[in-house]
mmCIF file of all heavy atoms in Angstrom:
data_model
loop_
_atom_site.group_PDB
_atom_site.id
_atom_site.type_symbol
_atom_site.label_atom_id
_atom_site.label_comp_id
_atom_site.label_asym_id
_atom_site.label_seq_id
_atom_site.Cartn_x
_atom_site.Cartn_y
_atom_site.Cartn_z
ATOM 1 N N GLY A 6 10.520 9.407 6.607
ATOM 2 C CA GLY A 6 9.807 10.013 5.487
ATOM 3 C C GLY A 6 10.280 9.428 4.131
ATOM 4 O O GLY A 6 11.466 9.243 3.891
ATOM 5 N N TYR A 7 9.291 9.015 3.314
ATOM 6 C CA TYR A 7 9.573 8.442 2.026
ATOM 7 C C TYR A 7 8.647 9.110 1.070
ATOM 8 O O TYR A 7 7.500 9.441 1.291
ATOM 9 C CB TYR A 7 9.308 6.946 1.964
ATOM 10 C CG TYR A 7 10.203 6.132 2.891
ATOM 11 C CD1 TYR A 7 9.788 5.828 4.148
ATOM 12 C CD2 TYR A 7 11.482 5.751 2.505
ATOM 13 C CE1 TYR A 7 10.640 5.087 4.982
ATOM 14 C CE2 TYR A 7 12.305 5.039 3.269
ATOM 15 C CZ TYR A 7 11.871 4.688 4.531
ATOM 16 O OH TYR A 7 12.623 3.995 5.409
ATOM 17 N N GLU A 8 9.228 9.365 -0.189
ATOM 18 C CA GLU A 8 8.350 9.760 -1.254
ATOM 19 C C GLU A 8 7.506 8.587 -1.624
ATOM 20 O O GLU A 8 8.012 7.460 -1.694
ATOM 21 C CB GLU A 8 9.145 10.242 -2.530
ATOM 22 C CG GLU A 8 9.925 11.533 -2.323
ATOM 23 C CD GLU A 8 10.740 11.901 -3.571
ATOM 24 O OE1 GLU A 8 10.184 11.780 -4.663
ATOM 25 O OE2 GLU A 8 11.909 12.199 -3.387
ATOM 26 N N TRP A 9 6.317 8.776 -2.196
ATOM 27 C CA TRP A 9 5.492 7.756 -2.651
ATOM 28 C C TRP A 9 6.193 7.238 -3.900
ATOM 29 O O TRP A 9 6.175 6.025 -4.145
ATOM 30 C CB TRP A 9 4.093 8.180 -3.008
ATOM 31 C CG TRP A 9 3.029 7.103 -3.162
ATOM 32 C CD1 TRP A 9 2.332 6.584 -2.122
ATOM 33 C CD2 TRP A 9 2.722 6.483 -4.372
ATOM 34 N NE1 TRP A 9 1.497 5.589 -2.718
ATOM 35 C CE2 TRP A 9 1.713 5.524 -4.047
ATOM 36 C CE3 TRP A 9 3.065 6.563 -5.654
ATOM 37 C CZ2 TRP A 9 1.121 4.685 -4.966
ATOM 38 C CZ3 TRP A 9 2.519 5.713 -6.647
ATOM 39 C CH2 TRP A 9 1.522 4.771 -6.284
ATOM 40 N N GLY A 10 6.815 8.064 -4.707
ATOM 41 C CA GLY A 10 7.468 7.692 -5.942
ATOM 42 C C GLY A 10 6.635 7.770 -7.149
ATOM 43 O O GLY A 10 5.478 8.145 -7.058
ATOM 44 N N SER A 40 11.132 5.530 -9.861
ATOM 45 C CA SER A 40 12.009 6.117 -8.841
ATOM 46 C C SER A 40 11.419 7.216 -8.140
ATOM 47 O O SER A 40 10.202 7.680 -8.382
ATOM 48 C CB SER A 40 13.330 6.456 -9.453
ATOM 49 O OG SER A 40 13.108 7.435 -10.504
ATOM 50 N N THR A 41 12.204 7.841 -7.213
ATOM 51 C CA THR A 41 11.733 9.038 -6.507
ATOM 52 C C THR A 41 12.528 10.220 -7.069
ATOM 53 O O THR A 41 13.586 9.990 -7.751
ATOM 54 C CB THR A 41 12.034 8.921 -4.985
ATOM 55 O OG1 THR A 41 13.438 8.713 -4.847
ATOM 56 C CG2 THR A 41 11.356 7.794 -4.390
ATOM 57 N N LEU A 42 12.089 11.463 -6.868
ATOM 58 C CA LEU A 42 12.814 12.545 -7.394
ATOM 59 C C LEU A 42 14.167 12.831 -6.611
ATOM 60 O O LEU A 42 15.099 13.346 -7.211
ATOM 61 C CB LEU A 42 11.919 13.839 -7.360
ATOM 62 C CG LEU A 42 10.714 13.838 -8.244
ATOM 63 C CD1 LEU A 42 9.980 15.168 -8.125
ATOM 64 C CD2 LEU A 42 11.210 13.650 -9.741
ATOM 65 N N ASN A 43 14.163 12.496 -5.325
ATOM 66 C CA ASN A 43 15.338 12.748 -4.530
ATOM 67 C C ASN A 43 16.267 11.538 -4.424
ATOM 68 O O ASN A 43 17.230 11.613 -3.688
ATOM 69 C CB ASN A 43 14.897 13.253 -3.176
ATOM 70 C CG ASN A 43 14.229 14.576 -3.210
ATOM 71 O OD1 ASN A 43 14.638 15.442 -3.934
ATOM 72 N ND2 ASN A 43 13.107 14.717 -2.536
ATOM 73 N N GLY A 44 16.020 10.480 -5.144
ATOM 74 C CA GLY A 44 16.981 9.365 -5.216
ATOM 75 C C GLY A 44 16.815 8.280 -4.157
ATOM 76 O O GLY A 44 17.488 7.313 -4.151
ATOM 77 N N GLY A 45 15.908 8.490 -3.174
ATOM 78 C CA GLY A 45 15.636 7.499 -2.122
ATOM 79 C C GLY A 45 14.745 6.336 -2.672
ATOM 80 O O GLY A 45 14.313 6.371 -3.830
ATOM 81 N N ILE A 46 14.492 5.331 -1.817
ATOM 82 C CA ILE A 46 13.566 4.343 -2.218
ATOM 83 C C ILE A 46 12.149 4.822 -2.037
ATOM 84 O O ILE A 46 11.839 5.752 -1.304
ATOM 85 C CB ILE A 46 13.827 3.053 -1.413
ATOM 86 C CG1 ILE A 46 13.562 3.252 0.072
ATOM 87 C CG2 ILE A 46 15.190 2.451 -1.704
ATOM 88 C CD1 ILE A 46 13.651 1.964 0.876
ATOM 89 N N THR A 47 11.182 4.164 -2.737
ATOM 90 C CA THR A 47 9.781 4.562 -2.697
ATOM 91 C C THR A 47 9.232 4.054 -1.359
ATOM 92 O O THR A 47 9.736 3.229 -0.743
ATOM 93 C CB THR A 47 8.957 3.974 -3.831
ATOM 94 O OG1 THR A 47 8.983 2.570 -3.727
ATOM 95 C CG2 THR A 47 9.516 4.419 -5.224
ATOM 96 N N ALA A 48 8.097 4.613 -1.001
ATOM 97 C CA ALA A 48 7.347 4.225 0.144
ATOM 98 C C ALA A 48 6.988 2.747 0.164
ATOM 99 O O ALA A 48 7.177 1.983 1.111
ATOM 100 C CB ALA A 48 6.039 5.067 0.412
ATOM 101 N N ALA A 49 6.582 2.234 -1.054
ATOM 102 C CA ALA A 49 6.308 0.815 -1.260
ATOM 103 C C ALA A 49 7.493 -0.024 -1.031
ATOM 104 O O ALA A 49 7.476 -1.085 -0.348
ATOM 105 C CB ALA A 49 5.655 0.619 -2.594
ATOM 106 N N TRP A 99 1.516 7.389 4.097
ATOM 107 C CA TRP A 99 1.141 7.030 2.734
ATOM 108 C C TRP A 99 0.300 5.760 2.754
ATOM 109 O O TRP A 99 0.629 4.784 3.424
ATOM 110 C CB TRP A 99 2.328 6.800 1.857
ATOM 111 C CG TRP A 99 3.152 7.967 1.383
ATOM 112 C CD1 TRP A 99 4.374 8.256 1.525
ATOM 113 C CD2 TRP A 99 2.551 9.005 0.516
ATOM 114 N NE1 TRP A 99 4.711 9.411 0.861
ATOM 115 C CE2 TRP A 99 3.579 9.925 0.180
ATOM 116 C CE3 TRP A 99 1.246 9.275 -0.014
ATOM 117 C CZ2 TRP A 99 3.414 11.047 -0.583
ATOM 118 C CZ3 TRP A 99 1.119 10.416 -0.836
ATOM 119 C CH2 TRP A 99 2.163 11.275 -1.106
ATOM 120 N N LYS A 124 3.104 13.044 -5.174
ATOM 121 C CA LYS A 124 3.871 11.866 -4.874
ATOM 122 C C LYS A 124 5.304 12.125 -4.504
ATOM 123 O O LYS A 124 6.000 11.221 -3.973
ATOM 124 C CB LYS A 124 3.868 10.858 -6.118
ATOM 125 C CG LYS A 124 2.495 10.379 -6.457
ATOM 126 C CD LYS A 124 2.769 9.529 -7.734
ATOM 127 C CE LYS A 124 1.503 8.943 -8.363
ATOM 128 N NZ LYS A 124 1.840 8.283 -9.595
ATOM 129 N N ASP A 125 5.796 13.368 -4.786
ATOM 130 C CA ASP A 125 7.186 13.666 -4.493
ATOM 131 C C ASP A 125 7.406 14.154 -3.081
ATOM 132 O O ASP A 125 8.568 14.534 -2.740
ATOM 133 C CB ASP A 125 7.761 14.629 -5.542
ATOM 134 C CG ASP A 125 7.095 15.919 -5.554
ATOM 135 O OD1 ASP A 125 5.926 16.060 -5.133
ATOM 136 O OD2 ASP A 125 7.671 16.900 -6.107
ATOM 137 N N HIS A 126 6.409 14.303 -2.231
ATOM 138 C CA HIS A 126 6.535 14.703 -0.911
ATOM 139 C C HIS A 126 6.841 13.521 -0.019
ATOM 140 O O HIS A 126 6.423 12.400 -0.286
ATOM 141 C CB HIS A 126 5.251 15.372 -0.449
ATOM 142 C CG HIS A 126 5.068 16.757 -0.955
ATOM 143 N ND1 HIS A 126 4.817 17.081 -2.267
ATOM 144 C CD2 HIS A 126 5.200 17.973 -0.306
ATOM 145 C CE1 HIS A 126 4.776 18.356 -2.395
ATOM 146 N NE2 HIS A 126 4.932 18.940 -1.232
ATOM 147 N N SER A 127 7.576 13.729 1.021
ATOM 148 C CA SER A 127 7.975 12.634 1.911
ATOM 149 C C SER A 127 6.994 12.598 3.123
ATOM 150 O O SER A 127 6.812 13.541 3.849
ATOM 151 C CB SER A 127 9.351 12.906 2.454
ATOM 152 O OG SER A 127 10.356 12.740 1.425
ATOM 153 N N PHE A 128 6.368 11.458 3.236
ATOM 154 C CA PHE A 128 5.505 11.147 4.350
ATOM 155 C C PHE A 128 5.876 9.891 5.073
ATOM 156 O O PHE A 128 6.780 9.093 4.498
ATOM 157 C CB PHE A 128 4.010 10.998 3.888
ATOM 158 C CG PHE A 128 3.358 12.236 3.511
ATOM 159 C CD1 PHE A 128 2.241 12.199 2.608
ATOM 160 C CD2 PHE A 128 3.728 13.499 4.035
ATOM 161 C CE1 PHE A 128 1.652 13.412 2.221
ATOM 162 C CE2 PHE A 128 3.118 14.689 3.631
ATOM 163 C CZ PHE A 128 2.048 14.633 2.715
#
Side-chain angles (χ1 to χ4, degrees):
Y7 297 95
E8 289 180 47
W9 197 89
S40 58
T41 60
L42 291 182
N43 294 317
I46 61 174
T47 65
W99 282 124
K124 297 176 183 178
D125 63 338
H126 284 70
S127 290
F128 288 154

